[in-house]
Amino acid sequence: MNSNQEAMRVYFQSLPVYTPAFKATVNSVVEAVGESVFKKKGQVVEELTLHNKDFWFLKSGYLKEMYKNPFEKEDSLFNLIPPQSIFVNEDALFNDTHPQHYFITYSDVEFIRFKFEDFERINSERPMLQLLYLSGTAEIQKNRRARLLMLRMRNTLDRVQWVKDVRPELYKSMDRSTLAQYIGVSRAGLYRAFEKSNRFQF
Amino acid sequence: MVSTNKSELILKGLLSIYPIGHDFERKELYTLSNEFTFHKVERGFQLWAEGLDQDNLYFIVSGACGEYLRHDRDESLIRFYQQDKFAFSEDILIYSVPSETRCVTLTESVIASIPKKTLLNETLHKIVGAKLLSILINLSMTEYRNTTYEMLQSSGTSRLKAAISQSPNLLNIIPRKELADYLGLSRASLFRALKSFGHE
């Protein structure tokens, strides 16, 4: 087994839903994963902007998921994807439309593709894959709900504290500009909040 | 069972989210639309509660509903459902776990509902049931994404603009107090944002 397969197996085994009953299904999935793609920091990842329904596993590094914000001059951060995560182009996978989001490397990254056609093939042979898929979407929903609660907090420092408590791995990696976008405040607003409270990010 | 006119509303709603691949699917959706039951309810009626309860798929025939999530000692309006839209707790309907949220009507409303059991086991061809379930997951994921877009805006005015761009008749369907809660703004900030739109 190569290191990509091992990394994905470890990922699946760490999911709350995982039991030994998933072993054969996970084996089929890890056998189908492709070679690593490496990108340097600051690049737009072309592979991810093309229309595809594939599943992607970020093995190492961080990716910024960006979108065109019609109410701001610059494109905005939608999410910061940490290592050891699976992510998709939602427009393509869910709505069969061209991706509206694009991805920029926030550090050097390594990621792996799991093709949608392999997902469909394995799903037809091993219906337990659907349970893994559902647990993945459930996890995303849960995270989005929690983040929405944070985005409704009226105090900027309460939002910062939420990131610190709930997503410490992101907090440690984000610069202030990225943190401001992640919590839905302007950069100036974040700076003012830090200065007023005499507290700083780290 | 419902009258033809009412079931047509639901069929139209189903066809708006379900891409028809085969003729039998249209027929199945027509059968499904006839299985919904209608209820005229007052403001504050609870569609589903926290915990395993009311595993229905709802269709908002008229009025509006709000979905609340409890946190600490408070709760927040995280999503709302308006006329001609489907509403459901994905926790209960899709993942079969206790619901983290509750959903109540924000105005006097007419709500149609169908139990999960009917939706997935008895009425529908398995292919249609599975496809509908998958569509509901996608719908829910997309709605959460759209709500996140709104909440990522850094000013009250931009949040309001983003919300209105998603739901053009927002100001007509949600009371101001709930709207302020939904946008995470104080009532004073909401009124300032509304003023910039010429609404008060």
Side-chain angles (χ1 to χ4, degrees):
Chain A
M1 185 184 301
N2 64 36
S3 69
N4 286 352
Q5 292 173 335
E6 184 55 29
M8 278 199 83
R9 182 190 305 282
V10 169
Y11 166 80
F12 283 119
Q13 287 174 344
S14 71
L15 295 177
V17 73
Y18 184 85
T19 66
F22 283 102
K23 194 175 175 186
T25 305
V26 169
N27 280 345
S28 301
V29 172
V30 300
E31 280 165 15
V33 298
E35 294 298 309
S36 285
V37 180
F38 295 91
K39 297 283 173 187
K40 290 283 179 197
K41 179 180 177 178
Q43 285 183 272
V44 174
V45 184
E46 199 180 320
E47 289 86 341
L48 303 175
T49 58
L50 303 172
H51 185 105
N52 71 76
K53 296 183 174 186
D54 299 333
F55 297 82
W56 301 86
F57 178 68
L58 185 59
K59 194 173 167 188
S60 65
Y62 288 83
L63 273 178
K64 286 165 78 169
E65 184 176 355
M66 306 293 294
Y67 76 104
K68 189 159 183 59
N69 184 342
F71 306 102
E72 302 285 342
K73 285 178 189 159
E74 294 174 354
D75 291 357
S76 298
L77 177 83
F78 182 75
N79 199 9
L80 185 67
I81 300 169
Q84 307 296 307
S85 307
I86 285 186
F87 60 101
V88 295
N89 267 316
E90 292 186 21
D91 297 297
L93 182 64
F94 299 148
N95 303 320
D96 206 15
T97 56
H98 191 77
Q100 303 292 308
H101 291 191
Y102 63 95
F103 297 83
I104 298 179
T105 53
Y106 190 61
S107 63
D108 291 355
V109 298
E110 178 182 0
F111 57 89
I112 309 162
R113 174 189 289 215
F114 174 51
K115 288 184 177 171
F116 184 68
E117 61 210 53
D118 288 322
F119 172 84
E120 289 201 304
R121 175 179 55 78
I122 296 168
N123 195 33
S124 65
E125 294 161 1
R126 300 186 184 279
M128 283 191 82
L129 186 57
Q130 195 62 28
L131 285 180
L132 282 181
Y133 177 79
L134 276 180
S135 78
T137 59
E139 201 58 28
I140 293 171
Q141 300 273 35
K142 203 174 162 185
N143 289 337
R144 284 194 179 164
R145 256 183 218 160
R147 189 169 170 215
L148 280 177
L149 284 184
M150 176 273 285
L151 290 169
R152 286 190 168 85
M153 292 174 181
R154 303 214 179 127
N155 185 314
T156 300
L157 287 178
D158 287 344
R159 297 188 197 185
V160 172
Q161 192 61 43
W162 182 92
V163 184
K164 211 171 176 178
D165 294 341
V166 181
R167 303 303 305 267
E169 79 286 12
L170 294 184
Y171 186 79
K172 285 174 196 156
S173 315
M174 281 193 273
D175 58 36
R176 280 196 183 184
S177 174
T178 309
L179 176 62
Q181 290 202 11
Y182 187 80
I183 63 174
V185 298
S186 66
R187 202 161 38 186
L190 179 63
Y191 279 42
R192 274 197 301 273
F194 276 135
E195 274 170 22
K196 202 172 160 186
S197 66
N198 217 14
R199 286 163 61 190
F200 299 94
Q201 188 175 349
F202 299 107
Chain B
M1 294 292 183
V2 298
S3 69
T4 308
N5 281 345
K6 284 182 174 176
S7 68
E8 274 177 6
L9 282 176
I10 294 167
L11 180 60
K12 199 174 158 192
L14 285 168
L15 290 172
S16 72
I17 60 168
Y18 188 110
I20 298 288
H22 301 279
D23 284 344
F24 78 90
E25 291 175 291
R26 186 184 298 274
K27 200 177 161 189
E28 288 284 306
L29 292 182
Y30 177 76
T31 307
L32 181 67
S33 66
N34 277 302
E35 294 294 328
F36 278 77
T37 53
F38 279 63
H39 313 273
K40 187 174 179 184
V41 295
E42 298 295 317
R43 174 185 156 94
F45 175 81
Q46 191 155 269
L47 277 71
W48 68 82
E50 289 141 336
L52 267 178
D53 180 39
Q54 302 293 320
D55 59 346
N56 293 328
L57 172 65
Y58 299 93
F59 182 75
I60 316 299
V61 180
S62 67
C65 303
E67 186 178 1
Y68 292 83
L69 178 61
R70 191 178 299 282
H71 54 99
D72 303 324
R73 275 172 292 178
D74 204 358
E75 65 173 5
S76 290
L77 176 61
I78 56 163
R79 277 196 299 186
F80 66 89
Y81 303 94
Q82 53 183 307
Q83 188 174 325
D84 298 331
K85 298 285 179 193
F86 287 95
F88 55 95
S89 159
E90 59 268 358
D91 292 331
I92 303 173
L93 194 73
I94 298 171
Y95 305 122
S96 301
V97 296
S99 179
E100 284 187 348
T101 61
R102 69 185 188 99
C103 185
V104 297
T105 50
L106 298 174
T107 58
E108 187 181 279
S109 306
V110 176
I111 309 289
S113 66
I114 186 170
K116 181 179 179 180
K117 193 177 167 191
T118 310
L119 185 67
L120 296 179
N121 294 334
E122 292 175 0
T123 312
L124 286 179
H125 189 287
K126 275 187 179 170
I127 292 173
V128 179
K131 189 168 164 183
L132 188 57
L133 185 67
S134 158
I135 287 166
L136 292 176
I137 295 172
N138 298 351
L139 198 64
S140 170
M141 295 286 279
T142 304
E143 277 175 359
Y144 267 107
R145 194 169 80 154
N146 290 341
T147 308
T148 305
Y149 287 144
E150 294 165 13
M151 300 311 297
L152 280 173
Q153 306 306 321
S154 55
S155 76
T157 307
S158 297
R159 279 191 180 193
L160 184 60
K161 275 184 189 168
I164 289 174
S165 75
Q166 302 281 354
S167 310
N169 60 345
L170 178 79
L171 299 178
N172 299 326
I173 57 175
I174 297 196
R176 296 293 188 258
K177 181 177 176 295
E178 280 78 8
L179 184 58
D181 183 17
Y182 175 73
L183 294 172
L185 300 174
S186 66
R187 290 184 80 176
S189 300
L190 173 65
F191 280 98
R192 276 197 298 276
L194 284 168
K195 206 171 177 180
S196 70
F197 276 73
H199 286 276
E200 280 183 271

